[in-house]
Each structure stands twice: as structure tokens, then as C-alpha cells.
């Protein structure tokens, strides 16, 4: 672990943070990318990437991890809490990122109505401009807009009145989710009971059909034909509950996936409201979010396909010109 002390007053163009502020090493910087002769790394606000800085891959006067830590420390100062005001040190309403020219370089500085001295945030270097293929002035303008918007949003999240308001919003959303979930669970219970009833009916009719087939095998002539037709009719009646069971099973699966999707969405939205949990919410939306999205979509699509299969099987079961043909189709439909 190492400590960096940066003196903004003596190095106005290259400084990234206020003087007398220690910047501890956070270990290897995540998200490094190689771009030709340069290596780039993300600068984040509450875990959300805002822009990327660059440095020469070899022989850089300021290593990329050191530079990122310096910038993140400056961002941390803008978001720090003022114990006297019980709010953030910087005012979100008057907070501004300005572009300041220092020699041949552009520097971004943070100001607001509460601070007379600008806070050095980041300097746009020639390496940055070359790595991203734009002029240093245009790159400074891009960074200024992105950083100002991100920090203002982060400052707003940290205001006590907004925290209280968001807590109330989360409470309301949680109440709605609980009510909707209970309603959907009640529907699910009714579906499961209906499925059990239909399974009993299907088993009873299947047993009756087997009895009539056995009876038909023991007779000949008209009695055998009568028993066979009766078995086909019972088989056709037994197939109807099976189709309803398949349909209800698919619908109950959709209900379960819908409950999961509602809670995942609600929890992720709630996490994004608070600075302490924004990074977790961003993680769910990015890497983990893709997995969850594929999982949820695959589950719902699977159930929808089951409904489609049941629908076409039902059409097949009723196909035929005679009652005997329809009975045979009904028996083959489950297969």
C-alpha cells in the first residue's frame, strides 16, 4: 500500500485533487484496456463509468492506476458529507464543472456557491486526445458534460430530503410488490388445485378406457365394437383434462416467472436510488443483469411455447370428419 500526497497549488495543471489529501492505493484498477500505444481506465461515480483516461503503456510519467486514484479522490471530495450542514459539502444546485486552460493543457475544475477556490478534478493530456482520436479541447468538453451530470446526480441522491423521499418510494413500491405477489400467488394456488382435480379426472377416465379396452378384447362382434367405441369416447374425454392441465401448467409457470421478474426489477430500481447501493444496482444491471434477463426471458418464452404447443395439439385433437377420427386424434394429441 502506498500514499500519494498531491499539492494542487504547486501543480495547477497536473493536479487532480486538493492539497493535503491522502490517496490510498485501492489495488489494481479494474477495466483496463489496451488501445495501441496507450492503456485506458474508467473513471466512475457511484460505480458508474463516466469517461476513460489514458496513459502510455510503457514509460508514462504518471501511471494509469495512480492517475485514476487521484481523480477518484477528487470526485470523493465533491461527494463528501459536511457534518456541520448534515448534507454534502458541495451544493448540487450550483455545482458546476468548468474548463480551465493551463498552458497547453485543459483542466476541469469543480465549483459551487459554497466554495471560493475551485477544486482541480482532472487534466486532459495529449495522451488522452491521441488515444481517443479527438482534440484536447473537444475531449475536455465531453468530459465536462459527463462529469458534471454524474456528480450532480450523485449529490442529489445524497441530500437528506431525497433520501427520505426515496425511502418512502421504496416503501410504496415494496407494498405494491407484496400485494401483487400475494394476488398472483392466490391465482397460482387456484391453478394448482385445478390441476390436481383435472389429474384425478384424467386418471379415472384413463382407467375406465383401459377397462373397456380389456372388455372389448374379451368379446367379439357387435359387443366388441361397442366396447371399443366406448373406450375411444372415454379416451377422448380423458385427453381433454390433459390439455387443460398442460395449459394451466404453462400459465402457472408464467405467473412464477412474472413474480420473479417483478421482484428483481423492483430490487434493482431500489438499489439505484441510494449512493451506498448504486454500485450493486449497476452490477445487477450490467454483468449479472444480462444473465438474469436471459434466464427470465428463456423461462417466460418456454412457457409461452408450451401454450402454443397445447393450442396446436387442441386443434389437432378436434380434427376429423367422424367422431371416431376425432377420438383417435384426441388420443394422439398428447404425444
Amino acid at each position: 500500500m502506498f500514499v500519494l500526497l498531491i499539492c494542487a497549488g504547486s501543480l495547477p495543471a497536473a493536479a487532480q485533487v486538493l492539497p493535503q489529501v491522502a490517496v490510498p492505493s485501492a489495488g489494481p484498477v479494474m477495466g483496463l484496456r489496451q488501445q495501441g500505444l496507450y492503456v485506458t481506465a474508467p473513471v466512475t461515480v457511484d460505480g458508474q463509468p463516466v469517461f476513460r483516461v489514458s496513459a502510455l503503456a510503457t514509460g508514462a510519467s504518471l501511471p494509469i492506476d495512480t492517475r485514476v486514484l487521484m481523480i477518484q479522490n477528487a470526485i470523493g471530495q465533491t461527494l463528501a458529507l459536511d457534518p456541520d450542514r448534515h448534507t454534502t459539502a458541495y451544493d448540487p444546485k450550483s455545482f458546476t464543472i468548468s474548463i480551465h486552460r493551463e498552458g497547453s493543457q485543459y483542466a476541469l475544475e469543480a465549483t459551487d456557491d459554497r466554495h471560493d477556490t475551485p477544486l482541480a478534478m482532472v487534466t486532459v493530456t495529449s495522451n488522452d486526445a491521441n488515444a481517443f482520436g479527438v482534440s484536447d479541447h473537444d475531449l475536455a468538453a465531453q468530459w465536462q458534460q459527463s462529469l458534471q451530470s454524474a456528480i450532480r446526480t450523485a449529490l442529489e441522491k445524497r441530500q437528506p430530503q431525497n433520501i427520505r423521499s426515496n425511502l418512502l418510494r421504496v416503501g410504496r413500491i415494496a407494498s405494491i410488490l407484496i400485494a401483487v405477489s400475494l394476488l398472483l400467488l392466490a391465482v397460482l394456488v387456484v391453478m394448482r388445485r385445478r390441476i390436481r382435480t383435472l389429474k384425478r379426472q384424467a386418471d379415472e377416465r384413463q382407467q375406465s378406457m383401459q377397462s373397456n379396452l380389456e372388455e372389448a378384447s374379451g368379446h367379439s362382434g357387435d359387443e366388441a365394437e361397442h366396447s371399443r367405441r366406448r373406450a375411444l369416447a372415454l379416451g377422448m374425454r380423458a385427453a381433454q383434462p390433459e390439455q387443460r392441465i398442460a395449459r394451466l401448467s404453462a400459465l402457472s409457470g408464467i405467473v412464477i416467472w412474472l413474480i420473479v421478474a417483478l421482484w428483481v426489477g423492483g430490487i434493482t430500481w431500489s438499489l439505484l436510488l441510494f449512493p451506498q447501493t448504486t454500485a450493486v444496482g449497476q452490477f445487477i444491471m450490467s454483468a449479472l443483469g444480462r444473465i438474469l434477463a436471459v434466464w427470465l426471458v428463456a423461462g417466460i418464452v418456454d412457457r409461452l411455447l408450451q401454450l402454443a404447443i397445447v393450442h396446436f395439439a387442441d386443434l389437432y385433437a378436434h380434427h376429423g370428419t367422424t367422431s371416431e377420427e376425432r377420438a383417435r386424434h384426441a388420443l394422439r394429441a398428447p404425444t
Side-chain angles (χ1 to χ4, degrees):
M1 179 177 293
F2 62 90
V3 176
L4 298 173
L5 297 178
I6 295 86
C7 182
S10 60
L11 296 173
Q16 307 289 353
V17 297
L18 283 178
Q20 308 304 323
V21 177
V23 185
S25 172
V29 176
M30 304 299 293
L32 293 177
R33 293 180 190 168
Q34 186 78 30
Q35 292 184 207
L37 300 175
Y38 305 95
V39 59
T40 68
V43 171
T44 63
V45 175
D46 285 341
Q48 177 67 20
V50 180
F51 58 83
R52 302 182 70 87
V53 295
S54 68
L56 287 171
T58 58
S61 58
L62 187 63
I64 190 70
D65 56 347
T66 302
R67 188 180 182 203
V68 169
L69 287 173
M70 293 163 67
I71 300 170
Q72 294 293 163
N73 185 73
I75 293 173
Q77 291 184 61
T78 64
L79 301 178
L81 298 178
D82 187 338
D84 297 329
R85 290 191 175 95
H86 302 289
T87 183
T88 53
Y90 279 78
D91 176 30
K93 294 181 180 179
S94 61
F95 180 83
T96 304
I97 296 290
S98 59
I99 301 175
H100 181 65
R101 181 79 180 243
E102 288 288 347
S104 60
Q105 293 180 319
Y106 293 94
L108 302 185
E109 299 177 338
T111 58
D112 71 344
D113 294 342
R114 300 173 183 171
H115 298 79
D116 298 328
T117 304
L119 171 63
M121 301 294 295
V122 57
T123 298
V124 181
T125 67
S126 57
N127 289 332
D128 296 317
N130 294 333
F132 300 110
V134 296
S135 67
D136 51 358
H137 180 269
D138 291 341
L139 189 59
Q142 294 176 16
W143 287 6
Q144 183 238 1
Q145 294 178 2
S146 301
L147 190 59
Q148 179 172 282
S149 175
I151 293 180
R152 277 185 177 175
T153 300
L155 287 171
E156 289 287 351
K157 286 183 179 181
R158 287 164 169 77
Q159 302 310 304
Q161 65 273 19
N162 289 335
I163 292 176
R164 289 191 294 269
S165 175
N166 286 333
L167 285 173
L168 292 174
R169 292 170 67 189
V170 170
R172 287 194 294 267
I173 293 299
S175 300
I176 294 173
L177 283 176
I178 291 173
V180 172
S181 298
L182 290 175
L183 178 61
L184 292 176
L185 287 174
V187 172
L188 189 62
V189 169
V190 173
M191 287 183 178
R192 292 294 172 84
R193 288 178 179 174
R194 182 58 179 164
I195 288 174
R196 288 195 295 267
T197 301
L198 290 172
K199 283 184 177 179
R200 286 196 299 268
Q201 293 178 1
D203 291 340
E204 292 172 358
R205 292 175 182 178
Q206 191 71 23
Q207 291 174 2
S208 299
M209 182 187 72
Q210 293 295 332
S211 299
N212 278 272
L213 288 176
E214 292 173 0
E215 183 180 345
S217 63
H219 296 83
S220 60
D222 294 339
E223 291 184 358
E225 180 65 18
H226 176 73
S227 297
R228 187 177 64 82
R229 288 181 178 275
R230 186 176 179 184
L232 287 174
L234 289 171
M236 187 173 180
R237 292 181 62 194
Q240 293 175 353
E242 292 291 344
Q243 294 168 5
R244 293 174 187 168
I245 290 170
R247 187 178 290 108
L248 287 173
S249 297
L251 288 174
S252 63
I254 292 176
V255 169
I256 293 174
W257 284 108
L258 182 59
I259 293 173
V260 173
L262 287 173
W263 277 100
V264 170
I267 291 173
T268 303
W269 173 82
S270 300
L271 292 173
L272 293 173
L273 293 177
F274 304 98
Q276 297 86 352
T277 56
T278 297
V280 179
Q282 293 292 345
F283 174 73
I284 294 176
M285 288 185 62
S286 56
L288 185 59
R290 295 189 188 97
I291 298 175
L292 289 173
V294 171
W295 183 46
L296 291 172
V297 171
I300 293 174
V301 169
D302 177 63
R303 299 301 178 175
L304 290 175
L305 286 175
Q306 288 186 25
L307 286 176
I309 292 171
V310 171
H311 174 71
F312 286 110
D314 187 54
L315 292 178
Y316 175 80
H318 290 84
H319 180 70
T321 56
T322 65
S323 59
E324 185 171 345
E325 287 181 350
R326 288 194 294 271
R328 293 184 183 279
H329 286 165
L331 292 174
R332 294 170 182 168
T335 305

